[in-house]
Amino acid sequence: MSVLVQCPCSSNGFVPSSSRYPIARLLFCSSVECKGRIKCPSCLSDEVVCFYCPNCLFEVPSASTKAERNRCARNCFECPVCCNTLTVVSSMDTPADAKHYLSCGVCRWDSLEIGLQFDRPTGLAMQMQKAEDDRKDVQEFANLRSHFEKTTRLAMSTAGPGSSLFRSSTSLSIPPSLLANIPALASLSAFGASKTSSFASLDGDPNGANSVANYVPKFKMDGSVAGILEDDEMDKMKKLTIDDATFLSQRMRQIGDQPRVFSGVRPQRILLRTKRAKRCKDCDTLVCKPEQKAQIPKFTVLMPALDYIPKLTIAQPPPSIPLKEGEVARCKVNIRFANPLATPIRVLLATVPPEESHTGMCRVDGISAPAFTLDAYNELSEFEDDKKNTAASGGGGWFGTKGPEIEVGLVEKRNNWAIVAVDVIVENTAVLAQGSPMQFPLLVKFFNGSDGGKDGSDSGSVSFWAVVGL
């Protein structure tokens, strides 16, 4: 049982195939341009605030992450077996002749099993990085990158400023109908075609040392690099036991060589993590920004949707319904609405009309309270005695005082929340019998203030579609 919220970026109306998220994953933008809208991950752009190591919490400058291959430059390594953090251990010799190695305190793996030890207990990352630089795949990638950097610089000098480097963008295959409506695009298309000819002459010149076709690899690929096993290697693999072979996850952590034998695994430097800020794509407003320092798990700006829109939860699960194909089943679902704001709000509920019902969705036959108000959120009210609030049966408050009145149709109302009953009709029982979830949509619209929306205007209102799954 869950309640998912549809982001308004997909459509203003209800779309069954749209992306829906739990309310805890959504943010809220209250700027003037957005006028208070829910924001899903697709509506936001990310900005990197800082790079840091999750083990030592050391902040790495952005300029150093490229040289260090996005890994920690300190003594932070992960175990190739269980991915826990490795510690540096010194052998029991004299201090002058002591050897140092990496050991895991969880699975008891150590680097002595693969013959890896160090002369000094510090600077292990630099020693490991030197070994990484000697790998064939790293050198081949550096050679490939330097070749294409020369090709790009030469192409830019030939094409001139302001032109693109991609054929798909310079050719500009514009449809004729669009050229008829916008005549100015014809000159742009001719400009792209002229620039494409310069790229074609560059790539098609067989004598050009910097052409893409004349790239010379630094290493010749053999069978071991291509993943083809020789006869002697195949015989060794047949004699391996389950303890000697590596898992797929271990091979993916060493994507360069992908060892098939357990003796070929190596400890890896821990990957860096990032703290990211999120901006609204429509108005460029910051809706989430963490602290700059990695040691502080706080946010300078955080606007979760939980603090701005009513939270919907299922008050109690509906009774089990025996499903038989061809019959219509009915049930009543109690949904709890909670107001997180410091001001009272007025909530309006609606659903999809019967003639627009979607396949796989249950139909809502009726809502007990289509319009009701929710009191403001008060932290002190959570600690008050429940007897101070009346239930639907109409009990009194303290010392015989009259408690708050329950609006017509509400099952229960206390503090800043209320429970509404929704009558659901399950018509397509054949689909539900196959294991499909029972879902129905609800349109929730709320206004600030207990009298909001009574004049018929939608100014200052916030609305969203929620899908209740049982």
Side-chain angles (χ1 to χ4, degrees):
M1 294 183 295
S2 62
V3 179
L4 303 179
V5 178
Q6 174 184 307
C7 181
C9 66
S10 57
S11 176
N12 291 329
F14 176 70
V15 180
S17 59
S18 62
S19 300
R20 296 186 287 265
Y21 304 88
I23 190 174
R25 289 190 56 190
L26 298 175
L27 297 175
F28 191 84
C29 182
S30 58
S31 64
V32 178
E33 297 181 14
C34 291
K35 298 179 181 179
R37 294 188 64 183
I38 300 173
K39 298 296 177 179
C40 67
S42 302
C43 306
L44 304 171
S45 60
D46 293 347
E47 295 179 1
V48 177
V49 177
C50 69
F51 294 86
Y52 70 97
C53 174
N55 182 49
C56 61
L57 297 180
F58 178 75
E59 297 181 22
V60 181
S62 302
S64 304
T65 55
K66 183 179 178 180
E68 296 165 0
R69 295 189 181 89
N70 200 29
R71 294 183 180 270
C72 182
R74 310 179 83 182
N75 292 356
C76 298
F77 299 90
E78 64 178 6
C79 177
V81 180
C82 61
C83 298
N84 282 281
T85 306
L86 299 176
T87 56
V88 182
V89 180
S90 301
S91 59
M92 301 301 294
D93 296 334
T94 58
D97 300 333
K99 296 296 182 180
H100 311 278
Y101 60 94
L102 299 173
S103 177
C104 178
V106 178
C107 65
R108 301 300 178 184
W109 180 90
D110 56 67
S111 60
L112 295 178
E113 298 181 8
I114 58 175
L116 181 62
Q117 57 183 2
F118 307 93
D119 297 332
R120 302 187 311 273
T122 58
L124 304 185
M126 297 300 297
Q127 302 178 45
M128 293 288 291
Q129 188 171 356
K130 292 180 180 179
E132 294 177 1
D133 294 339
D134 297 336
R135 295 203 324 248
K136 292 184 178 181
D137 60 315
V138 176
Q139 296 182 23
E140 187 65 35
F141 181 78
N143 184 38
L144 187 68
R145 179 179 177 181
S146 62
H147 174 79
F148 276 98
E149 283 179 351
K150 295 178 182 178
T151 306
T152 304
R153 286 195 296 266
L154 183 59
M156 292 180 65
S157 61
T158 306
S163 60
S164 176
L165 297 179
F166 300 97
R167 291 179 179 268
S168 59
S169 58
T170 54
S171 59
L172 292 176
S173 56
I174 303 176
S177 59
L178 189 59
L179 289 174
N181 296 329
I182 309 177
L185 292 179
S187 59
L188 185 61
S189 178
F191 173 79
S194 63
K195 295 304 178 182
T196 306
S197 60
S198 62
F199 286 105
S201 62
L202 175 64
D203 295 343
D205 184 10
N207 299 322
N210 293 325
S211 63
V212 177
N214 292 334
Y215 170 73
V216 179
K218 191 173 184 178
F219 299 96
K220 184 179 180 181
M221 184 173 12
D222 53 4
S224 60
V225 178
I228 304 174
L229 295 177
E230 303 294 340
D231 294 338
D232 54 347
E233 294 180 353
M234 185 66 72
D235 295 337
K236 292 180 181 179
M237 291 294 294
K238 291 180 180 180
K239 298 178 182 179
L240 291 179
T241 61
I242 190 64
D243 296 331
D244 298 331
T246 57
F247 299 104
L248 181 61
S249 59
Q250 295 172 343
R251 299 176 192 174
M252 291 297 102
R253 282 195 292 271
Q254 292 183 224
I255 197 65
D257 51 357
Q258 299 186 18
R260 300 182 181 89
V261 186
F262 187 75
S263 59
V265 297
R266 295 288 185 273
Q268 301 289 327
R269 293 182 294 155
I270 294 180
L271 285 170
L272 299 178
R273 304 294 191 269
T274 57
K275 281 189 171 185
R276 296 174 179 266
K278 296 183 180 295
R279 286 184 181 272
C280 176
K281 291 183 179 180
D282 298 330
C283 60
D284 203 33
T285 302
L286 269 175
V287 295
C288 177
K289 184 180 180 181
E291 284 282 352
Q292 182 84 22
K293 295 184 178 180
Q295 298 86 353
I296 304 178
K298 295 181 180 180
F299 293 86
T300 56
V301 178
L302 183 60
M303 302 176 66
L306 278 170
D307 295 344
Y308 293 90
I309 65 174
K311 182 180 179 182
L312 280 69
T313 55
I314 300 176
Q316 59 185 16
S320 300
I321 304 173
L323 297 177
K324 294 182 181 180
E325 188 172 354
E327 294 184 357
V328 177
R330 294 175 177 269
C331 67
K332 181 175 291 186
V333 182
N334 291 335
I335 302 178
R336 181 175 179 265
F337 294 81
N339 178 20
L341 301 176
T343 58
I345 61 174
R346 185 169 182 265
V347 182
L348 304 179
L349 301 180
T351 185
V352 179
E355 60 273 9
E356 299 180 7
S357 59
H358 302 276
T359 305
M361 288 283 179
C362 302
R363 185 164 58 89
V364 177
D365 188 39
I367 302 174
S368 62
F372 57 93
T373 59
L374 293 176
D375 297 336
Y377 172 70
N378 185 10
E379 296 181 358
L380 299 178
S381 63
E382 298 181 358
F383 304 98
E384 294 179 357
D385 193 354
D386 292 339
K387 293 182 180 180
K388 187 176 180 180
N389 300 299
T390 59
S393 58
W398 282 351
F399 304 106
T401 59
K402 186 178 180 180
E405 297 181 357
I406 302 298
E407 300 180 38
V408 177
L410 292 180
V411 178
E412 188 176 359
K413 182 179 181 181
R414 296 186 182 184
N415 299 331
N416 65 319
W417 57 268
I419 296 178
V420 179
V422 180
D423 295 329
V424 182
I425 299 179
V426 184
E427 295 179 335
N428 196 355
T429 55
V431 177
L432 297 178
Q434 298 175 1
S436 301
M438 185 172 65
Q439 300 176 343
F440 61 91
L442 275 180
L443 176 60
V444 182
K445 180 186 291 187
F446 67 94
F447 301 83
N448 287 328
S450 57
D451 297 333
K454 290 186 177 181
D455 55 352
S457 63
D458 291 341
S459 60
S461 65
V462 178
S463 61
F464 60 92
W465 282 95
V467 178
V468 182
L470 303 176

